[in-house]
Amino acid sequence: QVQLVESGGGLVQAGGSLRLSCAASGRTFSNYAMGWFRQAPGKEREFVATISWSGGNTYYADSVKGRFTISRDNNKNMVYLQMNSLKPEDTAVYYCAAAFLPISVPYRPGDFGSWGQGTQVTVSS
């Protein structure tokens, strides 16, 4: 298993930016893909972005493509989500997750085996 701790959430005005961080510990970080999901009140958890173990491949939900960027630093056991041009509909709890299956860019919740506790992002209009 791997332990994941998110940080960087907060309150921001529409059009602003935030950078989420996720610190991983436990298993060898560079061996698995990482992803970000979010869950708004009353809604199901939805995929946001994923990055392969090497960082060479990424995949985004259409709703965030062009605005969000996922990246990772395998030397620091960190994964990041840079969020620009934020919209009120981006308001949610954001979770990072680790995928242990041999999938380059997993995107389904079932592909991921470990989850963080989440960090709240609130975008005001």
Side-chain angles (χ1 to χ4, degrees):
Q1 281 289 18
V2 62
Q3 292 74 47
L4 303 171
V5 179
E6 303 96 334
S7 61
L11 173 64
V12 64
Q13 288 189 332
S17 298
L18 279 176
R19 187 196 196 202
L20 304 183
S21 300
C22 176
S25 61
R27 294 172 60 164
T28 304
F29 182 69
S30 59
N31 285 353
Y32 46 88
M34 295 292 295
W36 286 96
F37 288 75
R38 66 187 182 186
Q39 188 167 19
K43 295 187 176 181
E44 293 187 354
R45 188 169 299 190
E46 66 170 348
F47 166 75
V48 175
T50 188
I51 189 166
S52 62
W53 66 271
S54 68
N57 293 300
T58 57
Y59 180 61
Y60 297 91
D62 288 343
S63 58
V64 306
K65 200 174 297 182
R67 300 189 297 123
F68 291 11
T69 303
I70 188 171
S71 62
R72 66 189 295 162
D73 185 337
N74 286 347
N75 291 323
K76 297 181 178 180
N77 289 2
M78 297 289 293
V79 64
Y80 306 99
L81 186 68
Q82 178 66 45
M83 305 186 295
N84 298 328
S85 302
L86 283 161
K87 305 175 181 179
E89 51 263 42
D90 294 319
T91 295
V93 177
Y94 283 70
Y95 299 89
C96 72
F100 306 124
L101 300 176
I103 304 172
S104 178
V105 280
Y107 62 94
R108 298 169 296 188
D111 295 336
F112 294 81
S114 291
W115 296 81
Q117 83 289 348
T119 185
Q120 176 70 47
V121 171
T122 303
V123 184
S124 63
S125 57

